[in-house]
Amino acid sequence: MSAPESGVVRSPQGVGQRVPLIDGASKVTGSAVYTDDLKMPGMLVGKILRSPLPHAKIVSIDTSRAEAMPGVKAIVTGSGDMAKFGVLPISKDEVALAVDRVKYVGDCVAGVAADTEEIAMAAMAAIDVRYEPLRVFDKAEDSLEDIDPGLKINPDTRHASNLHKEVNQNFGDVDAAIAAAAHVASGKFRFVGVTHAFTEPHCVIAHFEPTGRLTIWSATQVPHYLHRDLSAVMEMPMHKVRVVRPMVGGAFGGKSDPFPHEMIASLLSRKTGRPVKILFDREEVFLTNHGRHPTKTSVTVACDENGKLTGLDLDALIDGGAWGSFGVVTTYYNGVLSAGPYDLGNFRYRGRRVYTNKAPCGAMRGHGAVNSRFAFEVLVDELAEKCGLDPAEIRRRNLLTSNTTTLNGFRITSNGTAECIRRVVEASDWDKKRGRLPYGEGIGIACGFYISGSALRINWNKVPQSTAHLKIDMDGGVTVHCLAAEIGQGSDTMLAQCVAEVLGLPIDWVRVCARDTDTDPIDLGSYSSRVTFMAGLAASRAAEVIRQKLCQAASRLTGRPAEGFDTRQCEVVFLPEPEVRVHYLDAVLEAIAGKGALIAKGCYHDAPKMGGDHKGAAAGLSPTYSFQAYVTQTKVDPETGFIKPMKVWAAHDCGKALNPLAVEMQIEGCLHMGLGQAMMESFGYNRMTVSNPNLLDYKIPSALEMPDVEVHIVESNDPEGPFGAKEAGEGPLLPILPSLANAVTDAVGVRFYELPMTPDRVLNAIEKKERAAARTASGKKRTPEESVR
Amino acid sequence: MILSPFQLHRPDSIEAALALAAEHAADADFIGGGTDLMQNYKNRLNAKGNLIALNEVAELRGVSATRIGAMERLSGLADHPIVRRDWPGLAEAITHVASPLIRNQGTIGGNLLVETRCYFFNQTPFWRETKGSCMKAESDECLVIPQKEICYAAYSGDLAPLLGCLGAVLELASPTGRREVPVSEFYQGDGITKNVLGENELVVGIVLPDGARALRAGYRKLRLRDTIDYPEMGVAAAVKLDDSSRITELRAATTAVDVVPQFADYTGTCAGRTIADVLDEVADDLQANAQPKKNTALPVGYRKKMVGVFLRRLLRDLADGKSEGRISAA
């Protein structure tokens, strides 16, 4: 799909235009309809009784007292007969309600449907559950021990421990590379978990209708996967299940799994025959989590005397919590997404994800790549120091080119990293600042690399990854059907823009229906930064079919050959004689005459065949990759340890900015989220209970903590993306954390191997450094490193 | 999370409010802005069956050169011309409280009476169930330091330290009459007993002594975010300097590092000296007296250390006549 020659504007809101999101006005005026806004006749309130224990056998559940309470309509508990589910077919380990055992504090034990919330809460208090505590798995290391099979959190794994997934990949000879290296940097990094903290809590309404169909309205990123798993758990064929996605108030990966509460609402509705709504309070959102995994990452990076990387050795121990979720993918991504943007020389990765008795972890913006990227980029700076090289220069020396293959077999097509670095180095006045700012001020750089959709589908079938349908009737309005999930990232606007561009229409002629499995063809959902690339191509291809029909209609009306026509600003124009033109509506009427509404479909099926043949070679394969380089300037208060990022120059290669405004918003949002993880966010536990399950104690940065952001969009024009585009929603998160850490190092001379960099930790590090310096200066005691010199 | 059920009463005089309080005895709370109380009611923390709303009591309103009604909203006070002219340190301290939206609703009286806070207390019923509850909630044992005598919930108001340093006095009303208690003597006891306010007693207003107008006063607050958050530590100071920059009065105070705000009067040891001269001795003393406990987000040692750092900075700023610049010129 390509845009017309430069200078020609087919649509005032077409490709490359700054278009406010088409659902923005309804959101800011409060008229947008979210799941909790929906009210159904006879609707009941659903509530979930949750486990107060992290790991325990359920000895008995007595619901009789609760069931006898007036206003209580149904109570459901777990049963071993119910199908397990989960987003990945290779680790379907979740149950709607605990069967025999609870596995984390917050695990779902019983569902209650009642006339009011007050009654539902009273009923929950009246349910008598007897538990027998089991050994609790807290530390990831403990989950590596072989144990009694009865203590396995997921009994279905083939391991004798609570190990969920182990990945071992080896390219070249890393040990030899490290042994022969001129310089080596290594570190043991610790990352606490973080969570999405989206605005809208999970909410679902399930209605088992008199027709025998189940309709479910849910705040989800993945209507299709929910559709599949609901069908399995409810034992209903997919055509009897309808999934509707109302407006979603943020998700960031936190709504990209089918969830127990969706199953529980469905079970309660089946039992009562009435619609049942479950709305989480904020604590339940935290207990449900599925956020970024706590991870211990050991990394060694080696280079030659010129700063050319010769090896990366990476080991990640990943704490998955009680469910599998996307964890198999996470385990791969912690390693394989380090394969760019640098040429590594040699690469070895061991990743292990374990089950623990904690809230499940899953996918979160930048899935799997964020922590390893942080570690890698911090150590690249250390190598630069050892080589006596500028941190920007060592990065430039190691970049992969365009149209190449990484050593683990990723096909790189468009690649704008060098331009990203050039832009931020120049714009930030890097050369004048790095190493030259006064003590307490610093500047740092880091790069990023991310997939733009997964080349292979999660489910092994032949359903295309994305399909779009278009319909135009005599009113001329264009309806786009596609199950791609608008979650605030702008996917509806993107679809509308692609169609408006191809058909040469203002965007208000296009309406997007992307919310209903009854009417909208399958798109796999909003995860892995796939929507712009895949759904954008599907919609553009469908529009192209219609465009040709319009050109043929114009040909019939004017007697000119159809090939000469193109769509331009509500007209179909014969380009060789531009005065020969047909209004769009006249072309539509001609095209539907005697045939009925114009319909067309387009799809994105699969990327071309690619990748190596080693085990796990498919993980991380993407039809194209995004690249980033950020420079961050910060202040660090050496007396209090407070980090105050002042300015970020953020360059991102998104191939082509279909909507520069939306790309900028994504980059700014990524920055905010990444700064949170870097500076203050911590999904902590206190004796196995989430320690801060609310947005007062789980600290996300406020507007006051945000630095000034200068976005540089780099357009490498991807050969396969829609109009050259690739992702912009996740990759831009990666470089902000290490670029800030590297700036802190420049400011106060301490390097960080642990996040978040809270002021107490920063101050500790500074004081430790000062004590060491004082010892050295007084000559009393030398550090081992000093002694060698 | 839904609120616990309660009966709302809307008296229009102090006498009526006090009569309602007496009538419902231990099962009533006064409610000002409710920004603190409602959250605790949602969490079922000592929720009562009766709420006596003070919105319509005219005597609790009003700002004059020497008195602020307890029901004055924080946003309005920070913008009030008299407050900004006469008590700029207070106006600036108010901007440290919570967030703009909460300041629109919250009152100065409510802020002074903000419930003491603790990691183990300010949690949901479910969370408390997983831990065993704390002595300030349903249990009789403290989870901060296991014992049954003292509640370590920290006083976490932003305004009391500054008002105490300014010598402000609280007007209290009860069925038996009125009394006045200096802010610096109001807070007594532990995280449960909190202050000297009687069971059915009400804070009516805050009186600021005329002489305090000559004091330079300020407040500095430690927290991870520059909005929303309660203090992890806060220091206030008020100082009067003579024409040659010699100290004639000096008081300092902390918040959020103990069960009650701690006030210290350094006039006796510092009179006649310059701020630069007394800086270390005052900061070290205030820091040494801080007793933070492990019941907030940041580590105890760090919070204690920051008492000294923040007070030094505040005193230097007061010496230089510098404000934090949090409010634009009146």
Side-chain angles (χ1 to χ4, degrees), chain B residues 234-257:
Chain B
V235 294
V239 60
K240 195 189 281 180
L241 302 175
D242 66 16
D243 292 342
S244 54
S245 295
R246 304 275 158 184
I247 294 165
T248 58
E249 276 181 57
L250 174 60
R251 287 182 290 277
T254 56
T255 187
V257 286

Side-chain angles (χ1 to χ4, degrees), chain B:
Chain B
M1 185 73 76
I2 50 175
L3 278 171
S4 59
F6 54 79
Q7 178 73 42
L8 182 66
H9 306 274
R10 304 169 71 95
D12 61 4
S13 69
I14 288 177
E15 292 67 33
L18 292 173
L20 280 162
E23 182 189 339
H24 296 288
D27 193 29
D29 274 324
F30 293 114
I31 178 168
T35 54
D36 185 34
L37 196 72
M38 288 294 94
Q39 191 55 43
N40 288 341
Y41 271 44
K42 282 187 176 181
N43 280 337
R44 304 298 188 273
L45 290 168
N46 306 322
K48 308 284 174 60
N50 292 276
L51 275 185
I52 303 163
L54 302 175
N55 272 348
E56 290 166 21
V57 181
E59 203 193 325
L60 298 175
R61 299 293 173 103
V63 179
S64 72
T66 55
R67 182 185 176 280
I68 296 169
M71 275 297 289
E72 284 296 321
R73 310 274 172 192
L74 293 170
S75 291
L77 283 176
D79 290 339
H80 198 286
I82 292 177
V83 177
R84 294 177 68 159
R85 185 194 64 209
D86 291 354
W87 315 104
L90 175 61
E92 197 155 64
I94 289 172
T95 68
H96 283 278
V97 178
S99 66
L101 291 175
I102 292 173
R103 294 197 293 272
N104 288 344
Q105 178 71 15
T107 63
I108 188 166
N111 184 273
L112 290 170
L113 295 174
V114 69
E115 189 55 78
T116 53
R117 297 185 63 78
C118 177
Y119 170 73
F120 293 97
F121 174 72
N122 298 101
Q123 300 283 0
T124 66
F126 175 80
W127 196 97
R128 303 200 303 276
E129 183 193 343
T130 68
K131 285 279 165 290
S133 186
C134 79
M135 67 192 288
K136 188 170 163 67
E138 298 92 347
S139 171
D140 63 354
E141 179 153 344
C142 176
L143 295 174
V144 182
I145 298 170
Q147 43 79 39
K148 299 183 177 183
E149 308 302 319
I150 301 169
C151 167
Y152 286 104
Y155 179 78
S156 303
D158 285 308
L159 304 182
L162 182 84
L163 287 168
C165 289
L166 286 172
V169 173
L170 300 182
E171 298 174 357
L172 310 180
S174 74
T176 55
R178 305 268 176 133
R179 61 174 176 149
E180 294 197 340
V181 178
V183 169
S184 57
E185 294 166 22
F186 180 71
Y187 299 95
Q188 307 280 339
D190 71 357
I192 291 173
T193 54
K194 299 180 286 193
N195 55 49
V196 300
L197 199 66
E199 177 105 317
N200 301 320
E201 199 169 23
L202 195 58
V203 177
V204 175
I206 298 104
V207 177
L208 290 149
D210 270 329
R213 238 172 252 118
L215 291 162
R216 302 177 184 192
Y219 174 64
R220 297 291 184 270
K221 178 175 181 177
L222 172 69
R223 52 176 166 178
L224 281 177
R225 299 177 289 194
D226 202 15
T227 182
I228 303 171
D229 292 336
Y230 284 90
E232 289 278 338
M233 185 286 299
V235 294
V239 60
K240 195 189 281 180
L241 302 175
D242 66 16
D243 292 342
S244 54
S245 295
R246 304 275 158 184
I247 294 165
T248 58
E249 276 181 57
L250 174 60
R251 287 182 290 277
T254 56
T255 187
V257 286
D258 209 330
V259 293
V260 294
Q262 295 290 339
F263 297 93
D265 193 331
Y266 295 107
T267 306
T269 53
C270 298
R273 298 159 68 190
T274 64
I275 285 182
D277 185 29
V278 305
L279 202 58
D280 284 338
E281 117 188 17
V282 169
D284 289 348
D285 182 74
L286 200 69
Q287 178 173 323
N289 286 321
Q291 301 290 335
K293 296 292 178 293
K294 199 178 167 188
N295 58 358
T296 69
L298 291 172
V300 167
Y302 177 74
R303 286 160 63 208
K304 190 172 168 78
K305 187 177 289 179
M306 288 305 108
V307 172
V309 172
F310 278 54
L311 184 63
R312 279 185 186 83
R313 290 183 175 187
L314 171 58
L315 289 175
R316 277 193 210 107
D317 283 352
L318 293 178
D320 297 344
K322 279 204 308 216
S323 81
E324 286 181 284
R326 293 178 71 91
I327 51 175
S328 51

